[in-house]
């Protein structure tokens, strides 16, 4: 739980009462490699913080898995529209390796939002995530496959280190063969 509290305190210093509530409401969960955490067509009831491990966000397009992102240690994950609007998820989240998460239920999230310091943290976190998401989509969409790979390699090295080649290839929108050529051109 210390990783989660340190992460939150880095955005918004907390008092003891808020820290105690966080410790009481977040629950530790473990997932084995390839285990699905958030299922497609089901309402996502939790938001998660990755203590250790990695998680892939993907969806199916004509039976093919399309990787949208890979999350690593000390990141929050959830199916945003499903969790916040309580509607069925159009995406899946799967552990890429044995993974330990801290989960917060939708109901308990509402309780924590009554704590002003947690609420301030949440607003700061959401603003940063939305800003980074906007920036990412702006630049990433205009990159070619090699530039996307270099971007991931330089900005998100844990994704490259922890992920299967087929998931990285899907994330940058190329075949595994093309990704192999990109990687060999670096060496």
């Amino acid at each position: 739980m210390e990783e989660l509290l340190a992460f939150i305190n880095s955005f918004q210093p907390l008092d003891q009462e808020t820290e105690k509530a966080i410790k009481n409401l977040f629950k530790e969960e473990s997932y084995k490699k390839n285990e699905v955490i958030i299922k497609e067509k089901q309402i996502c009831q939790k938001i998660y913080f990755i203590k250790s491990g990695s998680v892939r966000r993907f969806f199916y397009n004509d039976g093919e898995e399309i990787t949208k992102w890979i999350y690593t240690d000390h990141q929050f994950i959830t199916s945003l529209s499903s969790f916040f609007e309580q509607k069925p998820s159009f995406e899946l989240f799967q552990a890429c390796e044995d993974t330990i998460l801290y989960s917060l239920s939708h109901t308990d999230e509402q309780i924590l939002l009554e704590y002003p310091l947690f609420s301030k943290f949440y607003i700061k976190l959401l603003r940063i995530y939305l800003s980074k998401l906007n920036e990412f989509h702006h630049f990433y969409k205009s990159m070619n496959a090699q530039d996307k790979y270099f971007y991931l390699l330089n900005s998100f090295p844990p994704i490259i280190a922890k992920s299967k080649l087929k998931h990285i290839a899907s994330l940058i929108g190329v075949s595994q063969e093309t990704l192999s050529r990109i990687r060999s051109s670096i060496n």
Side-chain angles (χ1 to χ4, degrees):
M1 193 65 64
E2 295 310 312
E3 302 87 353
L4 174 60
L5 290 172
F7 181 85
I8 293 172
N9 275 299
S10 73
F11 280 85
Q12 173 61 53
L14 302 174
D15 59 17
Q16 287 183 340
E17 180 184 358
T18 306
E19 282 194 7
K20 183 178 177 187
I22 289 167
K23 288 178 183 178
N24 288 333
L25 296 174
F26 273 89
K27 309 297 181 212
E28 188 173 299
E29 298 183 16
S30 297
Y31 291 86
K32 295 287 183 199
K33 181 178 181 178
N34 297 324
E35 192 173 352
V36 174
I37 300 162
I38 299 172
K39 297 177 180 160
E40 183 182 31
K41 298 179 182 169
Q42 291 186 356
I43 295 173
C44 179
Q45 296 294 334
K46 297 176 183 175
I47 189 167
Y48 302 88
F49 179 81
I50 302 174
K51 176 183 178 182
S52 63
S54 59
V55 175
R56 179 173 71 107
R57 184 176 113 225
F58 69 100
F59 68 97
Y60 289 102
N61 184 24
D62 294 330
E64 182 183 351
E65 291 182 5
I66 307 295
T67 299
K68 295 304 289 178
W69 197 247
I70 299 164
Y71 303 87
T72 57
D73 298 350
H74 306 155
Q75 291 184 304
F76 277 95
I77 62 165
T78 194
S79 178
L80 293 172
S81 57
S82 180
F83 182 76
F84 290 127
E85 297 179 47
Q86 289 294 278
K87 63 184 187 181
S89 177
F90 56 83
E91 56 195 351
L92 300 95
F93 288 70
Q94 177 186 48
C96 297
E97 59 186 330
D98 290 351
T99 300
I100 300 172
L101 306 171
Y102 295 123
S103 69
L104 179 69
S105 72
H106 188 267
T107 303
D108 288 342
E109 177 211 31
Q110 300 308 305
I111 294 168
L112 268 183
L113 287 173
E114 295 297 321
Y115 288 80
L117 294 177
F118 184 81
S119 194
K120 282 178 80 172
F121 153 73
Y122 219 51
I123 290 168
K124 287 178 181 179
L125 180 71
L126 289 173
R127 289 173 63 107
I128 287 171
Y129 274 19
L130 289 172
S131 174
K132 290 195 179 295
L133 187 64
N134 184 53
E135 186 178 282
F136 169 79
H137 281 294
H138 175 73
F139 292 111
Y140 199 73
K141 292 286 184 192
S142 64
M143 293 178 189
N144 64 33
Q146 186 168 351
D147 291 340
K148 287 178 182 178
Y149 184 78
F150 279 121
Y151 174 76
L152 292 174
L153 189 62
N154 293 320
S155 300
F156 302 97
I159 290 176
I160 302 299
K162 291 184 164 200
S163 303
K164 292 181 181 177
L165 287 182
K166 71 178 186 176
H167 296 156
I168 296 169
S170 176
L171 180 59
I172 64 174
V174 298
S175 68
Q176 288 186 65
E177 293 78 18
T178 300
L179 177 59
S180 292
R181 282 193 292 277
I182 292 169
R183 289 167 52 103
S184 63
S185 73
I186 295 169
N187 300 332

